[in-house]
Amino acid sequence: MATILVVDDELDVVRMVARTLEARGHTVEVARDGEAALVLIARQAPDLLLVDANLPRIDGAAVGRRVRAEPATRALPIVLMSAAYVSLTEAASEGGADELVMKPFVRETLIRNVERLLAQRPAKPPP
């Protein structure tokens, strides 16, 4: 299926999201802060980025802006997770998010958003 990078500093959230996505056949990589996420993305871009808005070191919006600034990752689908009210318009303009999931979230909503964005992404060229 797809490789999804989950970026959150809350271990319970990471575990729940990883179990949910792995049960759907996806490979999950984890970063606990924005800086670590950017290192992983530079090394090997995932198929989708699921990032918390409030992160240590570099916040989720800044991660999204940096991802969108790089030609190699500009089209990477980004789902922003937030416990604070944020509109999708705000998330998209500030952090380049394609989708917003409010915490606490319903697993089915998370799955639906992830699967929709993965289905819309351009096919990767063969290695």
Side-chain angles (χ1 to χ4, degrees):
M1 296 287 291
T3 299
I4 300 171
L5 176 57
V6 177
V7 188
D8 201 307
D9 59 329
E10 295 179 41
L11 189 55
D12 290 338
V13 172
V14 169
R15 286 180 181 153
M16 190 277 292
V17 170
R19 278 194 307 266
T20 299
L21 296 173
E22 288 168 346
R24 304 282 300 178
H26 300 297
T27 300
V28 175
E29 294 183 358
V30 174
R32 300 294 300 277
D33 62 62
E35 189 174 290
L38 291 170
V39 169
L40 288 172
I41 292 166
R43 190 177 307 143
Q44 178 66 46
D47 297 304
L48 184 135
L49 173 61
L50 185 60
V51 61
D52 185 36
N54 188 19
L55 292 170
R57 297 181 146 173
I58 301 172
D59 69 30
V63 170
R65 284 191 300 275
R66 290 186 186 188
V67 165
R68 292 289 183 243
E70 293 296 323
T73 57
R74 184 168 288 140
L76 176 66
I78 300 173
V79 177
L80 183 69
M81 299 182 290
S82 180
Y85 177 77
V86 178
S87 71
L88 180 55
T89 303
E90 183 180 351
S93 67
E94 289 187 11
D98 298 296
E99 192 58 66
L100 174 66
V101 176
M102 298 302 294
K103 290 180 178 180
F105 48 83
V106 177
R107 290 178 189 191
E108 290 75 22
T109 302
L110 174 69
I111 291 167
R112 184 175 53 248
N113 289 329
V114 165
E115 297 295 340
R116 182 179 51 74
L117 289 173
L118 288 172
Q120 293 174 350
R121 75 184 193 272
K124 281 187 174 180

